[in-house]
Amino acid sequence: MPVESVLELKGIAKEDKRAPYGYEISVEEIKILHKSHEDFPISKKYHGPDFLLQNRHLYLRSRKMQLILTIRSRVIQLIREWFTSRGYKEFQSPIFTSSAVEGGATLFPVKYVDGSTVYLTQSWQLYAEAAIASLGKIFTIAPSFRAEKSRTRRHLTEYWHVEAEIPFCDIEGLMKEEEELISFLCQNVAKEFEKELKELGRDPKDLLKVKPPFPRITYKEAIEILQKSGVKVKYGDDLGADEEKILASKFDIPFFVMFYPKGIKAFYHKLHPEDKSVTLSVDLLAPEGIGEIIGSGQRCDSYEELIERIKEENLDPKSYEWYLDLRKYGSVVHSGFGLGLERFLMWILKLDHIRDAIAFPRLINRVYP
Ligand code: 4AD
Ligand code: MG
């Protein structure tokens, strides 16, 4: 029968250590359920990444994709378990939005039914900040969209975003939640998928090491470390993939980078009370050159400071009227984070490219199949 034909076999299953799955069947009866066409495009010979992406609908059947997508499914279950066991409620925000959260450069415009332009969501955050006043601490697992114009190993145009928003929580409390969630996921995946991780080239011991507290450095220290390593970077520059890669090679578990200057962070971050040139922001970077997996911070809770930041960033305060209202009526200290699910999987499963962390990746040059 051609490969990928579907058969029903009856016989005796016997344990055999040499068999790939540990068992062999001595077949007594065969029923053909579907005879495949002869020309199944994927064979044992080397296929380039473009060919495998073009045939993604069939490549999903490969052992590699099966392992990755199985662990991905479990990770999503574990995330829900972790949040709900700690009293978080699950909350959904709209996908069509009228304004930017994370800067205009990666906004995805869509022609709306009334002819106006709306944007696909970059993050649930602004809506989540409205909802915490009603629900308390909340989380979501939902797609986010970024019109990323550069071709990199770690950017998708559509990715799954695990986000949380927490009232009465400052940057300290925020970092505790992040390190506990990440450790919980690493510990459970390492224990439940020992064999599968090894097959993917990841030593489960690497994940068992991931326990709080995670190391912390400030943005300023990060710049100093980079300069000492000979990188041409100056205070105030954003950390790109190359810089993060060098930083991340210095740690073997995830680590926090705190207090980025306001010039390179979104308008909603609270300014540091002792140095108003930096924000109470914190990114979590994964080791082994992966870089940022979480973006997060304490939110600006003052009406005056927020309106000033919106103007400083040349945004239109009119678009953010409803968001500003949240600072007029019962504003509280609050913080939140966003974890890129595929970035996280890319790290824990030791994948070379983010495209393999999702079944049908949306990339700068690909939306087929
Ligand atoms: O750092 P970002 O832009 O932060 C936010 O969107 C916040 N509003 C989240 C929040 O506080 N609720 O994005 C968060 C994470 C990044 O750390 C990264 O892991 C992932 O989202 N991410 C991407 N993953 C894949 N492809 C892309 N193009 C991504 N852009 C961001
Ligand atoms: Mg970020």
Side-chain angles (χ1 to χ4, degrees):
M1 296 297 292
V3 287
E4 291 301 306
S5 296
V6 184
L7 308 177
E8 188 180 292
L9 306 176
K10 277 198 185 136
I12 312 280
K14 276 186 281 194
E15 202 173 348
D16 187 337
K17 294 248 170 335
R18 291 164 306 173
Y21 297 97
Y23 286 85
E24 286 213 326
I25 306 173
S26 9
V27 179
E28 285 158 8
E29 214 180 295
I30 298 178
K31 198 161 133 198
I32 297 164
L33 300 183
H34 180 259
K35 182 172 180 242
S36 187
H37 291 211
E38 298 282 348
D39 53 354
F40 188 68
I42 303 170
S43 65
K44 281 202 168 117
K45 73 168 207 230
Y46 173 79
H47 297 290
D50 272 336
F51 179 86
L52 292 177
L53 284 170
Q54 192 69 10
N55 288 286
R56 192 70 164 187
H57 50 299
L58 300 174
Y59 186 58
L60 288 191
R61 304 174 189 188
S62 66
R63 177 74 178 152
K64 180 179 170 188
M65 289 311 300
Q66 191 181 45
L67 289 175
I68 295 169
L69 295 176
T70 301
I71 299 176
R72 179 185 164 109
S73 154
R74 181 64 183 137
V75 165
I76 291 174
Q77 285 173 343
L78 286 167
I79 291 169
R80 280 219 167 81
E81 273 172 44
W82 188 86
F83 277 117
T84 44
S85 71
R86 294 166 81 99
Y88 284 78
K89 290 174 188 155
E90 193 161 352
F91 172 77
Q92 291 81 28
S93 74
I95 301 289
F96 291 136
T97 63
S98 50
S99 49
V101 190
E102 296 302 328
T106 61
L107 268 183
F108 236 116
V110 179
K111 194 165 167 223
Y112 202 59
V113 279
D114 65 359
S116 67
T117 300
V118 298
Y119 306 98
L120 298 180
T121 182
Q122 296 171 306
S123 163
W124 81 328
Q125 181 187 323
L126 306 190
Y127 298 99
E129 287 183 62
I132 53 169
S134 167
L135 297 175
K137 46 188 191 177
I138 51 176
F139 78 100
T140 203
I141 307 173
S144 276
F145 303 86
R146 305 279 169 112
E148 303 280 359
K149 280 141 204 133
S150 51
R151 219 173 155 153
T152 77
R153 288 188 319 124
R154 56 178 207 166
H155 286 99
L156 295 164
T157 52
E158 176 184 309
Y159 70 97
W160 283 74
H161 209 167
V162 178
E163 296 188 88
E165 197 65 32
I166 318 160
F168 305 106
C169 176
D170 61 9
I171 189 168
E172 275 300 319
L174 174 71
M175 289 159 76
K176 282 223 162 60
E177 292 298 275
E178 292 176 19
E179 58 191 11
E180 282 178 29
L181 170 64
I182 297 297
S183 316
F184 172 82
L185 297 176
C186 289
Q187 298 295 321
N188 281 283
V189 169
K191 285 175 201 147
E192 289 179 30
F193 295 100
E194 200 185 326
K195 191 170 143 264
E196 292 81 356
L197 288 171
K198 283 185 182 154
E199 232 182 299
L200 288 166
R202 160 65 70 206
D203 184 345
K205 286 198 205 84
D206 300 339
L207 301 183
L208 290 171
K209 276 193 306 220
V210 178
K211 283 186 187 152
F214 294 171
R216 301 169 172 204
I217 56 171
T218 62
Y219 166 85
K220 190 160 167 268
E221 286 164 340
I223 293 293
E224 285 159 9
I225 295 173
L226 288 167
Q227 287 171 339
K228 275 194 199 117
S229 312
V231 184
K232 268 211 171 124
V233 57
K234 58 179 192 311
Y235 187 90
D237 289 349
D238 204 357
L239 305 180
D242 293 340
E243 290 79 28
E244 285 187 359
K245 195 170 173 179
I246 295 166
L247 275 182
S249 67
K250 315 239 180 250
F251 296 87
D252 65 353
I253 68 167
F255 61 100
F256 291 112
V257 180
M258 305 172 71
F259 310 142
Y260 288 76
K262 65 177 177 181
I264 54 170
K265 281 289 173 193
F267 69 96
Y268 55 71
H269 288 285
K270 190 176 174 70
L271 301 180
H272 197 301
E274 277 146 38
D275 176 0
K276 298 260 180 191
S277 75
V278 302
T279 53
L280 293 179
S281 57
V282 54
D283 281 0
L284 186 70
L285 273 59
E288 299 167 15
I290 296 286
E292 181 188 339
I293 56 171
I294 290 183
S296 67
Q298 189 171 325
R299 317 307 191 191
C300 176
D301 47 24
S302 135
Y303 181 83
E304 289 73 27
E305 190 176 293
L306 186 59
I307 198 141
E308 203 169 302
R309 286 290 295 131
I310 287 176
K311 287 181 187 155
E312 242 173 33
E313 297 290 317
N314 291 319
L315 297 165
D316 178 9
K318 251 204 120 27
S319 310
Y320 297 95
E321 246 165 22
W322 68 268
Y323 185 66
L324 282 158
D325 270 356
L326 306 176
R327 276 71 182 166
K328 284 191 193 161
Y329 312 109
S331 188
V332 301
V333 171
H334 64 291
S335 303
F337 68 84
L339 165 72
L341 179 68
E342 290 80 14
R343 291 265 181 99
F344 175 71
L345 291 169
M346 185 184 171
W347 163 51
I348 64 166
L349 304 181
K350 231 180 153 83
L351 308 178
D352 301 329
H353 196 293
I354 197 165
R355 64 180 168 234
D356 287 334
I358 187 163
F360 292 100
R362 286 345 188 187
L363 301 161
I364 175 173
N365 56 351
R366 179 171 291 281
V367 285
Y368 175 94

